[in-house]
Amino acid sequence: AGKETIWVPAQAMFGTTTNGADAQAVETQAVRPELKVLDFDASTNEYAQFSIAMPKSWNLGTVTFQAFWSPGNTDTGNALIGLQGVGVANDDTSDIAFGTAVDVTDAGGGAVEDVLVSPVSGAITIAGTPADDDYTYFQVYRNAADGSDTFTGDVRLLGIKLFYTTDLANDA
């Protein structure tokens, strides 16, 4: 029992139909690491989603996250990256609103293709009264419309690390 993590790479996410982030492959140089990213624009709030069945050992409480990203230009302004979630129980509808979003602020590193790691976010409450065996939807976004987001290039999301607390030793 304690704090655990789940890594969710950008390749496991998809841009939403409305205002979706763009999936991209960024080649640094031939036969070197290639960045598989979701590009979030600087001028429009854009979204991507993923879903997971949370482990039964999860205590059903709040979660937090860290964003791993790469700057689309050399700007050092702040980027706001947010996350929200909702749990859906067996035989319930997926047509349900996400919970309240929580943003994390991270400064651009000034160099394209750098890997940047945000601070850990504040607590995120998963909407829908989470229970064991729920299917949990998450939505990650760039809060470009917020005046505090001053990063002028694309936020190239590499993935997120999701933190949750367990209260059982296993998922049986």
Side-chain angles (χ1 to χ4, degrees), residues 7 11 19 125 127 139:
W7 170 249
Q11 299 96 309
N19 292 354
T125 299
Q139 181 163 261

Side-chain angles (χ1 to χ4, degrees), residues 51-78:
S51 50
I52 55 178
M54 292 292 286
K56 284 185 181 180
S57 58
W58 174 39
N59 71 356
L60 306 175
T62 60
V63 299
T64 57
F65 78 101
Q66 264 184 316
F68 288 66
W69 64 288
S70 184
N73 68 8
T74 59
D75 185 32
T76 57
N78 288 330

Side-chain angles (χ1 to χ4, degrees), residues 65-127:
F65 78 101
Q66 264 184 316
F68 288 66
W69 64 288
S70 184
N73 68 8
T74 59
D75 185 32
T76 57
N78 288 330
L80 271 65
I81 302 166
L83 186 71
Q84 55 195 147
V86 62
V88 177
N90 180 48
D91 204 26
D92 277 353
T93 182
S94 291
D95 186 5
I96 185 170
F98 283 101
T100 302
V102 173
D103 294 344
V104 65
T105 302
D106 199 27
V112 175
E113 298 170 358
D114 279 0
V115 174
L116 303 176
V117 181
S118 79
V120 175
S121 74
I124 301 163
T125 299
I126 305 299

Side-chain angles (χ1 to χ4, degrees), residues 140-152:
V140 62
Y141 65 96
R142 178 176 180 186
N143 197 352
D146 188 299
S148 297
D149 186 316
T150 58
F151 186 73
T152 60

